[in-house]
Amino acid sequence: MTEELNRRKFLTYVGTGVTALTVASTGLGVFAPKVQAEGTNAASHLFGIKKKVSGLSFTPIKPTDKDELVLPRGYKYDVVAAYGDVINQKGDTFGYNNDFTMFFPINGSDERGLLWVNHEYTSDLWVTGPKNKDGKYSKDQIQKLLYNQGGSIIEVYRDEEGVWKMDTASQYARRISGLTPFQLTGPAKKADVVGKVDVVQGTFANCSGGKTLWNTVLSAEENYESTSMDANLNETHYGWIVEVDPYNESFAPRKHTALGRFHHENAAMGLTKDGRIVVYMGDDKTDACVYKFISKGKYVKSRKQANSALLEDGTLYAADMKNGKWVALTVDAVKAAAKGNKDILGKFKTQADVLVYAHDAAVLLGATPTDRPEDVEISPFDRTVFIAHTNNSKHGNIHGHITRFIEDNDDLGSLTFDFEIFACGGRQSGFSAPDNLTFDSSGNLWTVTDISSSSVNKGVFTTFKNNGIFVIPTMGDKQGDAFQFASAPVEAELTGPCFTDDEKTLFLAVQHPGEETKDIKKPTSMWPHRKGDNQPRPSVVAISSYKY
Ligand code: FEO
Ligand code: CA
Ligand code: CA
Ligand code: CA
């Protein structure tokens, strides 16, 4: 049924969508045709006033359970870095479970640049080895646990044969890990609640992230609990948005406490109409809220990296979806809402306390608990805000959905908004568990799926087969319909899609292939099937067309 539905949709699409046919036959070798971003009124799509036509440049694939990264005909992938690969002359190695990727061009090139890659978590089977009988890791294992999370900065390039490779002679390539010192910025720096410190050890549980307007990377610390507990580190030092400059080692890695502490999935940056910085953020937990931070000061392009200070002072808001309002998370508001409750007043004495326990403050102030808000992306076309809600079995939302916020007056600085459900996971749409999002220049939203390794290909998830990446037009006749572009290897999740500026290359991280393996001698996946290898390896690939 799913296959038939997909086929019908595609035929309908081709039948009515002139763009799809045109693009398919031009052979330009780009993923999608360029269209003019015209900054239409954010609400215009609601009333169908003006819609742009989206296009696809590929024939969608069918769901598959193959142990391979399956792509549409005409496309190929090159593995640029896999777990354990040496990344620089010092001998640093690529961490485990790669997630978010972000391309930083060198001298404006689309064929050579730095790639920031998040490393989210490790594996007892393939990285650290199991805990001892007291349930603890040894000192050596803790080193491995911390070293293989965080981020990698690698240099990548496309060679004369059109193959993307890693350049290990790079002067930029380095690791940021659970061992790297980080400065705290903002209200929780030196606060009692974090133990009065201004420098903390390391970053880990790095899920998705974002790029700043001043060309640094933001990386989101998500499920930090197990690592901080296993490594005996203060839990309040994790669960933040961190900032690193891939080009410049002397820019001190930092954690911006003004953006709150929760299970950060991502950080999507934009500007208010009056020039302040906005950062939209998801909190990947069941019954968790959607957040945005608005800086106090204004962005000044010429100040370059000094704009980073804007992330140290501002207001954190959480979305009250019932009333269409952004609720400011301030200590005064929390105190007023506590109505004399001693426990609450004892926990929230300062603004730092509110930021460290942002979820509790948000719920107390009336923000809406939602179904695992993961990635957030601001549409470059109409400044609506897309939020992937992966799922929430507690509410019977098994397949998740994508919500679209429409900020009042088309202003990311608005404190009021409306929303709609843009797309729903399920048999009818062909996808389940939407996670990372990215836009192409045709107004298509690229969405990866994250059906958990233990559920994939089973029960009500059977029809979807392996996880994938789907392309969903956000305007035109096929708005909200999903077309599958790639299928992941066995038990893997596709994460961190990122286009080069010319959109000729798509970087993608393949996370946790063979995750359900119980016996190291019998891996359930061997992807990327490197000659002579004896284990599956999370890897980052570069996808391009043969007609590049
Ligand atoms: Fe790390 Fe929310 O996925
Ligand atoms: Ca994710
Ligand atoms: Ca996820
Ligand atoms: Ca994951």
Side-chain angles (χ1 to χ4, degrees):
M1 169 134 175
T2 308
E3 273 182 24
E4 224 179 273
L5 271 176
N6 280 343
R7 194 178 120 77
R8 182 174 55 75
K9 270 185 187 165
F10 183 63
L11 289 177
T12 315
Y13 185 72
V14 171
T16 55
V18 180
T19 316
L21 278 176
T22 316
V23 173
S25 59
T26 52
L28 292 173
V30 291
F31 285 96
K34 295 270 181 195
V35 295
Q36 207 68 35
E38 54 182 24
T40 53
N41 183 290
S44 68
H45 69 279
L46 285 177
F47 303 101
I49 293 165
K50 191 159 191 184
K51 290 176 175 174
K52 265 187 281 292
V53 179
S54 315
L56 295 181
S57 59
F58 61 91
T59 305
I61 63 165
K62 290 175 180 171
T64 164
D65 53 12
K66 250 178 119 168
D67 185 32
E68 186 49 274
L69 176 63
V70 178
L71 302 172
R73 201 160 8 99
Y75 290 85
K76 61 140 186 166
Y77 71 87
D78 305 314
V79 174
V80 292
Y83 164 60
D85 287 356
V86 170
I87 64 164
N88 59 15
Q89 296 303 297
K90 233 171 86 187
D92 282 321
T93 55
F94 197 65
Y96 203 68
N97 271 344
N98 34 223
D99 199 302
F100 174 73
T101 76
M102 184 52 73
F103 183 73
F104 290 85
I106 292 178
N107 299 325
S109 172
D110 290 310
E111 300 189 342
R112 181 176 280 274
L114 302 180
L115 196 67
W116 168 274
V117 183
N118 275 1
H119 299 292
E120 190 177 17
Y121 60 104
T122 60
S123 154
D124 275 10
L125 209 55
W126 284 303
V127 180
T128 55
K131 292 176 178 171
N132 67 25
K133 26 182 208 311
D134 304 334
K136 295 210 153 75
Y137 289 123
S138 68
K139 230 175 153 182
D140 187 47
Q141 286 176 306
I142 290 170
Q143 283 289 113
K144 286 184 183 159
L145 177 76
L146 295 172
Y147 181 75
N148 287 294
Q149 296 182 67
S152 287
I153 297 157
I154 59 174
E155 188 165 334
V156 295
Y157 67 103
R158 187 174 178 269
D159 75 6
E160 305 82 56
E161 267 91 58
V163 180
W164 278 93
K165 290 180 175 159
M166 174 162 56
D167 184 354
T168 57
S170 170
Q171 53 175 322
Y172 299 101
R174 62 188 161 113
R175 283 297 317 280
I176 297 287
S177 74
L179 303 164
T180 309
F182 272 79
Q183 295 186 350
L184 293 184
T185 80
K189 172 182 171 176
K190 292 189 176 172
D192 288 349
V193 65
V194 300
K196 299 183 166 47
V197 298
D198 58 355
V199 177
V200 300
Q201 180 188 325
T203 187
F204 43 78
N206 304 74
C207 193
S208 188
K211 198 183 218 177
T212 64
L213 296 173
W214 48 93
N215 241 0
T216 59
V217 71
L218 298 176
S219 173
E221 297 179 339
E222 193 191 40
N223 295 309
Y224 53 85
E225 285 95 337
S226 65
T227 299
S228 61
M229 200 188 299
D230 288 336
N232 196 23
L233 293 163
N234 183 334
E235 191 175 278
T236 63
H237 299 175
Y238 310 96
W240 301 107
I241 292 290
V242 310
E243 184 182 10
V244 173
D245 184 347
Y247 299 103
N248 181 6
E249 204 165 349
S250 65
F251 179 96
R254 54 199 75 179
K255 302 196 181 196
H256 293 298
T257 70
L259 278 63
R261 173 178 166 270
F262 39 94
H263 300 91
H264 278 288
E265 174 74 23
N266 82 304
M269 186 175 281
L271 281 176
T272 65
K273 278 195 172 163
D274 65 3
R276 289 169 296 151
I277 292 292
V278 191
V279 185
Y280 288 89
M281 298 171 286
D283 179 9
D284 185 6
K285 275 280 165 200
T286 50
D287 305 331
C289 307
V290 177
Y291 296 82
K292 78 171 170 184
F293 166 86
I294 303 182
S295 66
K296 192 170 169 202
K298 291 182 182 175
Y299 171 65
V300 181
K301 196 174 176 193
S302 61
R303 293 189 69 218
K304 297 183 181 164
Q305 268 71 343
N307 282 295
S308 171
L310 294 169
L311 300 179
E312 298 175 15
D313 190 8
T315 307
L316 182 65
Y317 299 87
D320 169 354
M321 293 174 69
K322 192 170 171 191
N323 294 301
K325 278 189 182 145
W326 289 101
V327 182
L329 307 187
T330 65
V331 68
D332 289 343
V334 169
K335 282 180 179 167
K339 296 197 177 103
N341 180 309
K342 285 202 178 104
D343 290 345
I344 299 172
L345 291 170
K347 185 172 182 177
F348 296 104
K349 293 197 196 81
T350 66
Q351 188 60 26
D353 299 330
V354 172
L355 295 166
V356 166
Y357 301 108
H359 169 77
D360 294 346
V363 171
L364 184 71
L365 294 175
T368 307
T370 72
D371 296 344
R372 293 186 57 200
E374 292 214 68
D375 219 356
V376 183
E377 201 64 40
I378 304 162
S379 165
F381 299 92
D382 59 12
R383 289 202 266 182
T384 58
V385 180
F386 290 76
I387 302 148
H389 291 276
T390 296
N391 52 34
N392 190 339
S393 51
K394 271 164 76 181
H395 303 163
N397 186 358
I398 306 300
H399 298 303
H401 59 274
I402 300 171
T403 305
R404 184 182 207 170
F405 277 23
I406 302 106
E407 298 276 26
D408 281 356
N409 305 315
D410 186 21
D411 183 358
L412 302 182
S414 281
L415 298 183
T416 49
F417 63 92
D418 200 350
F419 74 94
E420 61 189 36
I421 304 300
F422 167 69
C424 282
R427 277 169 72 107
Q428 82 293 340
S429 60
F431 72 89
S432 176
D435 190 336
N436 298 150
L437 309 170
T438 195
F439 271 94
D440 67 28
S441 61
S442 289
N444 298 314
L445 188 64
W446 292 61
T447 307
V448 303
T449 61
D450 179 13
I451 303 168
S452 72
S453 305
S454 56
S455 302
V456 76
N457 263 308
K458 289 186 192 137
V460 298
F461 300 99
T462 308
T463 54
F464 307 101
K465 301 206 170 166
N466 291 357
N467 276 307
I469 183 164
F470 293 79
V471 179
I472 311 180
T474 62
M475 44 196 125
D477 292 347
K478 295 299 147 193
Q479 179 177 172
D481 287 351
F483 302 92
Q484 188 165 2
F485 179 78
S487 174
V490 168
E491 291 155 12
E493 171 190 353
L494 301 179
T495 55
C498 171
F499 286 104
T500 49
D501 282 347
D502 66 0
E503 292 183 328
K504 287 187 174 180
T505 301
L506 174 68
F507 291 102
L508 190 65
V510 179
Q511 198 187 55
H512 57 72
E515 187 166 56
E516 293 296 297
T517 299
K518 302 286 181 271
D519 179 352
I520 206 158
K521 291 193 201 100
K522 289 185 213 151
T524 52
S525 166
M526 274 302 286
W527 191 86
H529 306 286
R530 282 184 173 178
K531 255 193 199 145
D533 207 352
N534 58 0
Q535 66 176 84
R537 285 180 198 273
S539 310
V540 169
V541 303
I543 296 171
S544 52
S545 161
Y546 284 112
K547 293 176 185 163
Y548 186 97

